[in-house]
Amino acid sequence: MAIPLALLLSLLFGILLAPECVATPDMAPTTLLQVKSDLIDPQGILSDWSPKADVCSWHGVSCLLGEGIVTGLNLSGYGLSGTISPAISGLISVEFIDLSSNSLTGPIPAELGMLQNLKTLLLYSNALVGTIPPELGLLGNLKVLRIGDNRLHSEIPPQLGNCTELETMGLAYCQLSGAIPHQIGNLKNLQQLVLDNNTLTGSIPEQLGGCANLRSLSVSDNRLGGIIPSFIGSLSVLQSLNLANNQFSGAIPADIGKLSSLTYLNLLGNSLTGAIPEELNQLSQLQVLDLSKNNISGVISISTSQLKNLKYLVLSDNVLDGTIPEGLCPGNSSLESLFLAGNNLEGGIEGLLNCISLRSIDASNNSFTGKIPSEIDRLSNLVNLVLHNNSLTGVLPPEIGNLSNLEMLSLYHNGLTGVLPPEIGRLQRLKVLFLYENQMSGTIPDEITNCTSLEEVDFFGNHFHGTIPEKIGNLKSLTVLQLRQNDLSGSIPASLGECRRLQALALADNRLSGALPDTFRLLTELSIITLYNNSLEGSLPEALFELKNLTVINISHNRFSGSVVPLLGSSSLSVLVLTDNNFSGVIPTAVTRSRNMVRLQLAGNHLTGAIPAELGDLTQLKMLDLSSNNLSGDIPSQLSNCLQLTHLNLERNSLTGAVPSWLGGLRFLGELDLSSNALTGVIPVELGNCSSLLKLSLSGNRLSGSIPQEIGRLTSLNVLNLQKNSLTGVIPPTLRRCNKLYELRLSENSLEGPIPMELGQLSELQVMLDLSRNRLTGQIPTSLGNLVKLERLNLSSNQLHGQIPASLLQLTSLNRLNLSDNLLSGTIPAVLSSFPAASYAGNNELCGAPLPTCGANGRRLASATVSGIVAAIAIVSATVCMALLYIMLRMWSNWREVSVSSSDGEEPEAHGKGGKCCAGDGKYWKVGSGLVVAPSTEEKYSSASESSVLHGKLTEASAINSKG
């Protein structure tokens, strides 16, 4: 594009009107001194710039040999600041200007466009601002323009397309926007175009196809989109193509396979789809191929039999499937790094064993199966072996110890079993060993302590047992030791103190015992220590106070005793968790030295005294748990400064005083538990301001007054527990707004009035609704039948009356029900009969299973009536037995008369007359385990003969007699 005529006239007119600025060779010193006056020179590099010295001897100035004409200015990397003076345009003979790698600010002077002899302009790596002057398009002899790594903005001026001699254009790492000007296609001599790390948009202009001499095209980290144009395949001398981290879509054009000179191809971080073109195997000079972080699918079609120079192949984070192809490394290949992570590859990893030149393998996050082959030691050059997050099984082969160059072995989250082979001790260069989340077992071999280069060890979540190797201290480079969640036992070796570089130590979730070794005082770089869920005991060594870099301490669920002071030497603690130990004494104020503390958990110890007011200085605190101690006194008002609190748990202490109203100012509070103390007074209405509250528990105190209506504003509440207090008044209907409640406990108070029907709107109630042991009256609201998720309902020990509503039949999730000790009446719904009688005891007017049967009027029979029935049953039963006995005696007598001919003539004495001894109509039912007669309401006595009685009851009588 031609320079606008107005721009040319403006520049020429300015020169004519300012004769004092007209530059001649003998004016160069004056011009340079003007340039110097706008610069700040902290290193004194320009101190020899003096009118008394020859300008050609000045530092950074070069001249035409023997003529004193300044042709070059090189002040790169001298820490200069200030601005570039427009007076620089006076160096009319200059061909080379390099002010790069300084701290220059201000704009790029438009006057640079007057330097018609300028061939090289290097201003990169400064802090220049503003736009790229379009006047630079006047530099007809310019070959190299590098002004990137500045704070330039706006668009790339199309006028740069007039610099037809330009060979290198570097505008990377700025804030340039807009499209790539198509006028750049006019630069027929252009060899390097570098526009990385801007915010350029649009597509690659097709006019770039005219830059036939282009050897490097790099536009990574922009917002360019569209398809990758096929004309790129016509740039026959292109050696480097970098389109990474843009928004290109579509398939990789097969035409790229025509770039026979290409050594570097980077397309990572786009939205490319389709398969890997077979044509890429034609790039015989290719050394680096990166197609990662796209949506490329299909199988791996790359073969190093054709790509003999390929050293770096990155296909990670795509959707490739299939197995590792046999043709990947069919013979001698140059492949050194292979990255296949984050695909859908499957099968075994045996296909990698032919790539004997490999130094790095990352095949993690796939679906590889099978074993790690024992032939893995064929890859003798291997430095990094990364196979985590797969489904590999079997044992870790002992041959792994033959990989003498190995520095990183990452096999976590697989299904590896068996022991850690002692041959691992041969890996003298190993720095990282990650085996966590496998199923490995056995002991940790002592030989591992021979791996003296180890920096990070992580065996979390296996089944290792036995002791920690006694000579663990040999690993003096160790920074991370993670042995959590195994089955390790014994004591912590004293030699661990020799690991002076240790920063993170995690031995939690094991069966370790004994005391902490005194040598821990030597771990001065230790930042994180987690020992929870062990059986460690004893007092903490006082010398631990010298560990000034600690940020996270979690030694909960052990048996430590004594004072917690040794843990408080660091002022950088963010997490201190000592829950469930045997620590005693008061809470030391030294804990507040760590002003950035976010978690303080001292629950389940034997701490005494008051809660220190100084805890209010921990303004970043999010979790404070002092529960289950012996703390006393009031809740200090200074805690109101802890505005970031999300969890405050002070339950099970001996705290007194009132529930503070300032708690309402803790707007992020999600859990407030003050239960099981000796707090008095009322529930402050201000608690209704804690809009983030999920759990509110004030149970087991001595609170009085009514439940504030404002509790209904806690619409995020899941748990509300106010039981075991002395609360009075009614249950506020506003609780219906707490529609996320899944547990509501108001029992053991003195609440009165009816149960609000609005409670039926709490449709998320699941764990418990407990209103027992109050003075509630009225009927059970039918709306409670809407609580279909409810598992436990307790309304016992109130004064509720009326019938059990049929709507409760809808509570299909109910597994515990207690309506006992009320004034309920009527029939128990049949569906609720599966609950035990204790669920309904103490309601004298209730009847039906599991209670006694209801009478004809639907009421339980009166106690006198029941007693009469029982007595009648007993009398009738006795009568039946007597009748049966009489009948049997008669039968025996008749048999005697027939069978004994020598009788003495006397009749046997009768024991009773059977005609009317038995009353009954033949109706029986089971009550408990016995048989009783059901008297008829129409006929009290039967006139049946004793033979009919015998006939009707012979089977039952035989059954009775057979049971003795």
Side-chain angles (χ1 to χ4, degrees):
M1 178 178 180
I3 299 295
L5 180 61
L7 178 58
L8 286 170
L9 292 176
S10 174
L11 286 171
L12 292 173
F13 190 65
I15 294 172
L16 293 173
L17 290 181
E20 70 276 11
C21 295
V22 175
T24 60
D26 58 344
M27 294 275 300
T30 304
T31 300
L32 287 171
L33 289 174
Q34 286 181 282
V35 170
K36 177 183 176 181
S37 66
D38 285 351
L39 298 176
I40 299 172
D41 178 21
Q43 301 178 25
I45 297 299
L46 307 181
S47 59
D48 62 352
W49 283 25
S50 169
K52 298 178 181 180
D54 181 10
V55 68
C56 294
S57 68
W58 291 4
H59 190 92
V61 176
S62 57
C63 296
L64 191 63
L65 187 62
E67 298 188 18
I69 298 175
V70 175
T71 57
L73 178 61
N74 185 355
L75 299 176
S76 174
Y78 290 132
L80 301 174
S81 57
T83 60
I84 302 173
S85 172
I88 200 170
S89 61
L91 302 175
I92 59 172
S93 300
V94 75
E95 297 180 358
F96 180 93
I97 294 178
D98 186 356
L99 301 178
S100 64
S101 301
N102 284 293
S103 300
L104 301 175
T105 56
I108 298 174
E111 288 79 0
L112 286 171
M114 299 167 60
L115 301 178
Q116 292 300 303
N117 292 310
L118 193 62
K119 295 180 180 179
T120 300
L121 178 59
L122 306 177
L123 303 178
Y124 62 87
S125 297
N126 279 288
L128 300 172
V129 297
T131 62
I132 299 174
E135 289 83 355
L136 296 183
L138 297 171
L139 301 175
N141 291 308
L142 194 66
K143 291 186 176 182
V144 178
L145 175 63
R146 296 182 60 194
I147 57 178
D149 194 16
N150 280 290
R151 299 174 184 172
L152 305 173
H153 62 85
S154 194
E155 299 182 352
I156 300 172
Q159 289 85 351
L160 293 182
N162 295 319
C163 301
T164 54
E165 297 298 317
L166 205 60
E167 297 176 356
T168 298
M169 180 187 292
L171 309 179
Y173 290 90
C174 291
Q175 299 167 21
L176 302 174
S177 57
I180 300 173
H182 66 82
Q183 290 84 353
I184 290 179
N186 299 331
L187 306 179
K188 307 302 181 184
N189 296 308
L190 194 63
Q191 297 179 20
Q192 294 185 56
L193 178 59
V194 183
L195 306 177
D196 308 282
N197 286 88
N198 284 288
T199 56
L200 300 173
T201 55
S203 58
I204 297 176
E206 60 181 276
Q207 288 82 357
L208 277 185
C211 300
N213 292 307
L214 202 60
R215 287 177 167 78
S216 177
L217 173 59
S218 187
V219 295
S220 66
D221 296 285
N222 280 286
R223 299 174 185 172
L224 300 171
I227 62 170
I228 298 174
S230 58
F231 72 76
I232 285 180
S234 66
L235 301 175
S236 58
V237 297
L238 198 64
Q239 298 174 2
S240 176
L241 176 60
N242 188 354
L243 307 182
N245 294 323
N246 279 285
Q247 298 169 10
F248 293 112
S249 58
I252 300 171
D255 299 78
I256 290 180
K258 299 176 182 178
L259 301 175
S260 58
S261 299
L262 203 64
T263 62
Y264 180 89
L265 175 58
N266 192 346
L267 305 179
L268 82 88
N270 283 285
S271 300
L272 301 174
T273 56
I276 301 172
E278 294 277 356
E279 289 81 359
L280 294 188
N281 288 312
Q282 300 172 14
L283 303 175
S284 59
Q285 301 302 313
L286 199 63
Q287 297 179 19
V288 175
L289 175 59
D290 193 341
L291 306 180
S292 60
K293 296 184 179 180
N294 281 286
N295 294 309
I296 298 171
S297 57
V299 299
I300 299 173
S301 57
I302 299 297
S303 173
T304 57
S305 62
Q306 298 177 66
L307 302 177
K308 296 183 181 300
N309 293 299
L310 191 64
K311 295 182 178 180
Y312 193 94
L313 176 59
V314 188
L315 303 176
S316 305
D317 299 315
N318 280 289
V319 287
L320 296 170
D321 53 26
T323 60
I324 297 174
E326 294 182 3
L328 182 62
C329 300
N332 293 330
S333 90
S334 300
L335 197 62
E336 295 181 0
S337 297
L338 176 62
F339 296 90
L340 304 175
N343 281 285
N344 299 322
L345 300 171
E346 57 189 6
I349 62 171
E350 289 79 7
L352 299 175
L353 299 181
N354 292 328
C355 303
I356 57 176
S357 58
L358 277 173
R359 293 173 54 83
S360 293
I361 296 174
D362 186 352
S364 61
N365 295 289
N366 278 285
S367 300
F368 288 116
T369 55
K371 299 179 179 180
I372 298 174
S374 58
E375 298 85 358
I376 192 73
D377 56 355
R378 290 178 58 186
L379 306 178
S380 58
N381 296 313
L382 212 55
V383 175
N384 300 303
L385 179 58
V386 180
L387 300 173
H388 58 254
N389 285 335
N390 279 289
S391 299
L392 299 172
T393 55
V395 301
L396 184 61
E399 289 79 4
I400 202 80
N402 297 331
L403 300 177
S404 57
N405 294 306
L406 203 62
E407 295 181 5
M408 181 175 187
L409 179 59
S410 183
L411 304 175
Y412 67 84
H413 202 192
N414 277 286
L416 300 177
T417 55
V419 302
L420 180 61
E423 288 79 2
I424 201 83
R426 299 177 189 169
L427 303 180
Q428 298 292 308
R429 298 182 180 180
L430 193 64
K431 295 180 180 179
V432 176
L433 178 57
F434 288 164
L435 301 177
Y436 60 90
E437 292 180 333
N438 278 285
Q439 302 295 323
M440 300 184 73
S441 57
T443 61
I444 299 174
D446 291 336
E447 287 82 356
I448 198 173
T449 62
N450 297 328
C451 303
T452 52
S453 297
L454 271 174
E455 297 176 1
E456 298 182 49
V457 173
D458 194 337
F459 294 168
F460 162 78
N462 280 281
H463 303 294
F464 290 115
H465 63 264
T467 60
I468 300 171
E470 193 65 32
K471 297 181 180 179
I472 194 75
N474 290 350
L475 306 181
K476 299 189 185 304
S477 298
L478 206 59
T479 60
V480 175
L481 179 59
Q482 165 70 280
L483 303 179
R484 183 167 74 89
Q485 201 169 312
N486 279 282
D487 197 27
L488 299 172
S489 57
S491 59
I492 299 174
S495 70
L496 190 60
E498 298 299 319
C499 302
R500 306 289 181 88
R501 298 182 183 178
L502 200 61
Q503 298 175 18
L505 175 63
L507 306 180
D509 293 314
N510 280 288
R511 295 190 295 116
L512 300 173
S513 57
L516 281 187
D518 289 337
T519 53
F520 264 46
R521 70 183 187 280
L522 304 175
L523 303 177
T524 54
E525 294 188 24
L526 197 61
S527 174
I528 299 172
I529 179 169
T530 59
L531 306 175
Y532 57 86
N533 290 342
N534 279 289
S535 298
L536 300 167
E537 59 188 2
S539 299
L540 301 174
E542 293 184 5
L544 293 184
F545 196 82
E546 301 303 316
L547 304 183
K548 306 296 184 182
N549 291 310
L550 284 171
T551 59
V552 174
I553 300 174
N554 189 341
I555 61 173
S556 61
H557 305 287
N558 280 286
R559 301 169 187 169
F560 291 115
S561 57
S563 173
V564 302
V565 171
L567 297 174
L568 305 179
S570 170
S571 59
S572 302
L573 283 174
S574 60
V575 174
L576 179 60
V577 183
L578 311 181
T579 304
D580 289 339
N581 279 283
N582 296 314
F583 290 113
S584 57
V586 299
I587 299 174
T589 56
V591 74
T592 63
R593 295 177 61 233
S594 299
R595 296 301 174 88
N596 293 320
M597 182 92 71
V598 294
R599 285 178 59 191
L600 177 59
Q601 295 174 254
L602 307 179
N605 284 284
H606 305 297
L607 301 173
T608 57
I611 299 174
E614 290 82 356
L615 291 184
D617 295 335
L618 303 178
T619 56
Q620 302 302 310
L621 202 61
K622 293 184 177 180
M623 177 179 287
L624 177 61
D625 187 353
L626 307 179
S627 61
S628 299
N629 280 286
N630 299 312
L631 301 173
S632 57
D634 294 354
I635 300 172
S637 60
Q638 289 82 354
L639 288 181
S640 62
N641 297 325
C642 304
L643 296 176
Q644 304 300 315
L645 272 175
T646 59
H647 294 76
L648 177 59
N649 192 344
L650 305 178
E651 67 166 324
R652 297 187 183 181
N653 280 287
S654 300
L655 300 174
T656 54
V659 177
S661 60
W662 51 258
L663 289 170
L666 304 180
R667 301 301 174 88
F668 298 109
L669 201 61
E671 177 186 5
L672 176 60
D673 195 339
L674 306 180
S675 58
S676 300
N677 279 285
L679 300 173
T680 55
V682 300
I683 300 174
V685 297
E686 289 82 358
L687 288 182
N689 297 327
C690 299
S691 56
S692 300
L693 209 58
L694 300 176
K695 176 182 178 181
L696 175 59
S697 182
L698 304 177
S699 65
N701 281 286
R702 302 171 185 170
L703 301 177
S704 57
S706 60
I707 301 173
Q709 300 278 345
E710 288 78 2
I711 296 296
R713 288 155 51 184
L714 304 178
T715 55
S716 298
L717 205 61
N718 296 148
V719 176
L720 177 60
N721 189 347
L722 305 179
Q723 66 184 13
K724 297 183 181 179
N725 279 288
S726 299
L727 300 174
T728 56
V730 299
I731 299 172
T734 55
L735 285 181
R736 70 180 183 277
R737 301 174 190 162
C738 305
N739 54 15
K740 295 182 181 177
L741 273 175
Y742 65 81
E743 183 174 347
L744 177 58
R745 298 174 186 260
L746 304 179
S747 62
E748 298 186 57
N749 282 286
S750 298
L751 300 172
E752 56 192 16
I755 299 173
M757 60 177 297
E758 289 83 355
L759 294 187
Q761 299 178 29
L762 302 178
S763 57
E764 295 301 314
L765 270 180
Q766 178 177 345
V767 175
M768 167 71 88
L769 173 58
D770 190 351
L771 308 180
S772 64
R773 297 179 182 271
N774 280 287
R775 300 173 182 172
L776 300 174
T777 57
Q779 298 187 345
I780 299 175
T782 58
S783 62
L784 295 189
N786 298 326
L787 308 180
V788 293
K789 297 181 180 179
L790 195 63
E791 297 175 356
R792 289 187 287 174
L793 174 62
N794 192 346
L795 306 179
S796 65
S797 300
N798 281 288
Q799 300 170 29
L800 303 173
H801 65 266
Q803 296 188 343
I804 299 174
S807 61
L808 296 191
L809 304 182
Q810 300 169 197
L811 304 183
T812 54
S813 298
L814 206 62
N815 55 57
R816 292 188 187 178
L817 175 65
N818 193 347
L819 305 178
S820 64
D821 297 315
N822 278 287
L823 304 174
L824 300 173
S825 60
T827 305
I828 297 173
V831 177
L832 300 179
S833 64
S834 59
F835 292 101
S839 297
Y840 307 103
N843 291 280
N844 294 333
E845 298 298 317
L846 268 184
C847 59
L851 297 180
T853 307
C854 299
N857 58 358
R859 292 175 172 268
R860 190 199 300 186
L861 296 177
S863 57
T865 304
V866 172
S867 300
I869 292 174
V870 171
I873 290 171
I875 293 170
V876 170
S877 299
T879 304
V880 170
C881 291
M882 291 295 292
L884 292 174
L885 182 59
Y886 172 76
I887 292 169
M888 293 175 69
L889 288 173
R890 287 291 302 272
M891 291 176 66
W892 178 79
S893 175
N894 292 336
W895 174 81
R896 290 268 302 174
E897 290 177 355
V898 172
S899 62
V900 181
S901 58
S902 57
S903 174
D904 60 5
E906 292 186 3
E907 291 287 332
E909 185 177 4
H911 289 276
K913 305 292 183 181
K916 297 183 179 179
C917 69
C918 185
D921 59 1
K923 296 180 181 178
Y924 291 78
W925 62 72
K926 288 187 177 182
V927 176
S929 61
L931 294 170
V932 296
V933 179
S936 171
T937 57
E938 299 176 356
E939 184 179 36
K940 187 173 182 180
Y941 296 102
S942 171
S943 58
S945 67
E946 63 180 30
S947 60
S948 66
V949 172
L950 178 62
H951 177 76
K953 299 304 170 192
L954 183 58
T955 304
E956 286 83 352
S958 299
I960 292 173
N961 291 332
S962 69
K963 294 179 181 177

